[in-house]
Amino acid sequence: MFPLLKTRPKARKPAPPEMRTLDVAGRLMPLTIKQHDQATRITLRIEPGGRALKMTVPRGLAAREVNAFLDRHQGWLLTKLAKFSTDTGLRDGGKILLRGVSHLIEHTGSLRGLTEVVSVEGSPVLRVSGLPEHVGRRIAAFLKKEARADLERLAVMHAATIRAPIRSISMKDTRSRWGSCSSQGNLSFSWRIVMAPPSVIDYLAAHEVAHLKEMNHGPRFWALCKKLCPGMEDAKSWLKRHGSQLHAIDFD
């Protein structure tokens, strides 16, 4: 008789996430519900910027328990979401941050023209042309251009310090992270960082460049990051306090 061969059970395919729209006191929020084999309880979190919700539940949890959990946490959600304003302020007379400085938005009324920063009586003003409903998009395009200029300069400078080659640099609008570095040397940054103070922009560039040498977050990585950016701790603290506010701005 041959011994019976033990067969490894097939791994279950992950269930596709359920997409819902949750009404939180009249505020409609996209909600993603994911089932997870290792989950032992329900977890609910607000995505960076306060524009969406993400929920993780044990596999096979009954829909009535999910609904009951959401009902019980309406008050918690309402309190947490209150700090995220639904008014973007991206209009004539509004304000927008650029390198940590608040700029008054001035819509020129002209259909053509550059988006540019000017000084009016000693105060910074961001002049925007085009249709009023396109002001947000034009500001976003301007911020992307400014972010690329800053981050390319800083990344190249830090990479030269540690003698590490950069393959490419790209700008994205990610919510889960401010930047990334691939093993091939491709750097990616969230262009929204250009609204932060220069020291924070510098920290982000140094952080991702440090990954060119250390593809981890171990002690050697942090030591290298601090060498490139001595003000690292203050910059990290600023992002922790204010980062969600930058993500919350809807430019569309």
Side-chain angles (χ1 to χ4, degrees):
M1 298 285 292
F2 292 100
L4 293 175
L5 297 176
K6 293 183 178 180
T7 58
R8 183 179 298 175
K10 293 184 179 179
R12 288 187 293 182
K13 292 182 179 180
E18 179 187 350
M19 309 301 294
R20 290 193 195 179
T21 299
L22 184 67
D23 187 335
V24 184
R27 186 170 179 173
L28 300 180
M29 300 290 297
L31 169 65
T32 302
I33 303 175
K34 289 187 176 181
Q35 297 186 33
H36 198 287
D37 286 332
Q38 305 302 319
T40 58
R41 59 189 179 89
I42 300 174
T43 59
L44 176 65
R45 68 182 179 90
I46 301 171
E47 295 282 43
R51 299 170 65 183
L53 306 172
K54 188 174 182 179
M55 193 177 193
T56 302
V57 303
R59 183 187 284 269
L61 187 71
R64 64 178 180 277
E65 293 190 50
V66 173
N67 295 333
F69 181 93
L70 290 170
D71 288 340
R72 290 197 305 272
H73 287 78
Q74 278 276 322
W76 177 84
L77 281 171
L78 191 59
T79 300
K80 292 295 184 180
L81 290 171
K83 68 177 182 179
F84 299 107
S85 173
T86 56
D87 182 8
T88 65
L90 299 178
R91 58 181 176 271
D92 186 56
K95 298 285 185 71
I96 187 69
L97 287 172
L98 175 61
R99 301 183 181 97
V101 177
S102 181
H103 286 57
L104 178 69
I105 299 171
E106 179 185 293
H107 183 234
T108 65
S110 173
L111 293 180
R112 295 179 179 271
L114 296 175
T115 301
E116 59 182 353
V117 173
V118 298
S119 179
V120 177
E121 298 180 354
S123 298
V125 173
L126 183 63
R127 284 187 173 157
V128 187
S129 60
L131 295 172
E133 58 267 32
H134 296 160
V135 166
R137 281 183 242 170
R138 284 181 172 260
I139 292 175
F142 174 79
L143 293 180
K144 290 174 189 176
K145 183 185 71 171
E146 295 296 302
R148 177 174 289 279
D150 285 5
L151 289 163
E152 285 185 347
R153 174 179 55 81
L154 291 166
V156 168
M157 179 186 71
H158 289 311
T161 299
I162 63 174
R163 297 181 180 179
I166 297 174
R167 185 177 180 183
S168 69
I169 299 175
S170 61
M171 298 296 120
K172 296 184 178 180
D173 191 13
T174 51
R175 293 289 192 276
S176 59
R177 58 176 67 181
W178 285 104
S180 64
C181 173
S182 75
S183 57
Q184 292 78 34
N186 300 311
L187 304 183
S188 175
F189 299 100
S190 168
W191 54 264
R192 290 172 181 260
I193 198 68
V194 79
M195 292 184 281
S199 59
V200 180
I201 302 172
D202 181 50
Y203 161 65
L204 179 60
H207 184 113
E208 299 310 331
V209 167
H211 278 311
L212 294 171
K213 289 284 189 180
E214 299 289 338
M215 291 294 291
N216 55 69
H217 285 105
R220 291 200 303 178
F221 165 81
W222 289 115
L224 180 57
C225 193
K226 190 166 186 177
K227 177 182 176 182
L228 293 173
C229 180
M232 175 184 77
E233 294 301 334
D234 287 341
K236 287 171 64 179
S237 178
W238 192 97
L239 272 179
K240 186 175 182 180
R241 295 194 312 270
H242 304 291
S244 290
Q245 296 170 22
L246 306 187
H247 283 307
I249 301 173
D250 186 357
F251 289 90
D252 293 329

